[in-house]
């Protein structure tokens, strides 16, 4: 397994356009997370899935944002009508939640998608 | 509300020096704490994960300690090398949301190791 994969690595778009990012998690991981990171800051949680179910969304995720994880495999994050404030690094992470013994929550991150809205 | 702080924001040291990066958190009720490395323009690489019941974890030249009661963790890097230059992030998993796996990050410390 090659780890968490994100595409594209970079995206430049004009304000008002729609963009879609893809994340392929580690194959046996049932949890998938999206985070957003702006320059000089740590990542901030956006949303997460367990299998195909989206279990939580942050207030940061306005109604212009939508995420899906069909069939519990890869995930997409779409931003509609992009704004300059959406410019950031979008990070995907996956983990395998085990409920026997210690809860194993170690997260593995992808290389991110750098979005620039001009 | 849990807040995570990393000080300093940036650090420059000569090669070979031992150094300590600091992470503090406001709520001691954590499930675990994870240290990550991030190279410029890249994603995060997990370095060490410390469970709340543990005091420290070691991997090679890295040693992370956890003092839950004081809300602090440190990442010790021995014999620093130019290749260690990167941003180091700590993240906590709050105890009461441990089942979500949702991490709260500090803003990072950017380390430069000069040859």
């Amino acid at each position: 397994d090659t780890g968490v994969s994100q595409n594209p690595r970079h995206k430049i778009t004009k304000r008002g356009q729609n963009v879609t990012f893809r994340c392929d998690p580690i194959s046996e991981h049932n949890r998938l997370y999206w985070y957003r990171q702006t320059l000089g800051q740590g990542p901030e949680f956006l949303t997460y899935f367990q299998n195909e179910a989206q279990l939580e969304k942050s207030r940061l995720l306005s109604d212009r944002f939508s995420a899906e994880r069909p069939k519990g495999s890869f995930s997409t994050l779409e931003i509609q009508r992009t704004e300059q404030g959406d410019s950031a690094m979008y990070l995907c992470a996956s983990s395998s939640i085990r409920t026997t013994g210690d809860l194993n929550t170690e997260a593995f991150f992808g290389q991110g998608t750098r979005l620039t809205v001009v | 509300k849990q807040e995570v702080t990393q000080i300093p924001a940036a650090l420059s040291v000569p090669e070979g020096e031992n150094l300590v990066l600091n992470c503090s958190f406001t709520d001691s009720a954590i499930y675990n704490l994870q240290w990550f490395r991030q190279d410029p323009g890249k994603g995060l690489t997990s370095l060490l994960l410390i469970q709340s019941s543990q005091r420290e974890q070691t991997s090679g030249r890295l040693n992370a300690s956890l003092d839950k009661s004081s809300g602090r963790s440190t990442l010790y890097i021995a014999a620093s090398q130019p290749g260690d230059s990167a941003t180091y992030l700590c993240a906590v998993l709050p105890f009461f949301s441990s089942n979500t796996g949702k991490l709260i990050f500090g803003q990072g410390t950017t380390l430069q190791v000069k040859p």
Side-chain angles (χ1 to χ4, degrees):
Chain A
D1 189 16
T2 57
V4 179
S5 176
Q6 291 189 247
N7 288 288
R9 293 292 311 281
H10 304 276
K11 178 71 177 179
I12 300 174
T13 190
K14 292 184 179 180
R15 190 177 54 185
Q17 298 293 305
N18 299 341
V19 294
T20 300
F21 312 140
R22 175 175 170 132
C23 171
D24 288 272
I26 294 172
S27 58
E28 64 268 25
H29 284 182
N30 56 356
R31 288 281 179 92
L32 187 149
Y33 301 83
W34 286 99
Y35 288 82
R36 181 172 71 186
Q37 185 181 26
T38 53
L39 204 60
Q41 301 297 314
E44 295 176 290
F45 169 81
L46 292 179
T47 187
Y48 86 99
F49 295 82
Q50 178 156 323
N51 300 314
E52 67 275 10
Q54 187 173 18
L55 297 185
E56 187 173 338
K57 293 194 292 185
S58 161
R59 292 177 184 178
L60 293 175
L61 215 63
S62 75
D63 54 10
R64 296 184 298 105
F65 289 70
S66 63
E68 294 182 343
R69 193 184 183 197
K71 302 178 183 178
S73 56
F74 70 92
S75 176
T76 59
L77 177 67
E78 180 184 14
I79 308 174
Q80 295 182 328
R81 305 181 304 279
T82 52
E83 302 172 355
Q84 286 187 322
D86 297 331
S87 296
M89 172 79 88
Y90 290 84
L91 294 161
C92 175
S94 70
S95 66
S96 177
I97 296 294
R98 293 200 313 257
T99 55
T100 56
D102 267 343
L103 186 66
N104 180 9
T105 64
E106 186 170 8
F108 297 87
F109 281 76
Q111 292 296 297
T113 294
R114 165 78 62 191
L115 173 66
T116 302
V117 181
V118 297
Chain B
K1 178 187 173 186
Q2 177 72 269
E3 293 182 358
V4 181
T5 304
Q6 293 183 250
I7 295 174
L11 184 63
S12 180
V13 300
E15 182 177 3
E17 195 163 294
N18 301 326
L19 58 100
V20 173
L21 306 180
N22 297 298
C23 172
S24 61
F25 45 95
T26 54
D27 188 341
S28 62
I30 66 168
Y31 192 83
N32 61 39
L33 183 146
Q34 200 166 352
W35 280 93
F36 293 90
R37 169 183 172 140
Q38 185 174 34
D39 292 292
K42 302 291 178 92
L44 278 61
T45 300
S46 179
L47 297 173
L48 291 163
L49 182 148
I50 311 177
Q51 300 291 353
S52 62
S53 58
Q54 298 174 322
R55 298 284 297 189
E56 64 180 321
Q57 282 285 342
T58 298
S59 176
R61 294 183 293 109
L62 306 179
N63 175 276
S65 67
L66 175 64
D67 183 344
K68 220 174 46 165
S69 61
S70 66
R72 292 181 183 176
S73 176
T74 60
L75 179 67
Y76 175 84
I77 303 176
S80 58
Q81 303 169 358
D84 294 330
S85 299
T87 296
Y88 291 81
L89 294 153
C90 73
V92 302
L93 178 60
F95 181 82
F96 295 108
S97 58
S98 59
N99 62 326
T100 71
K102 185 173 67 176
L103 299 173
I104 299 175
F105 283 85
Q107 68 272 51
T109 294
T110 298
L111 172 67
Q112 182 183 33
V113 181
K114 296 180 178 178

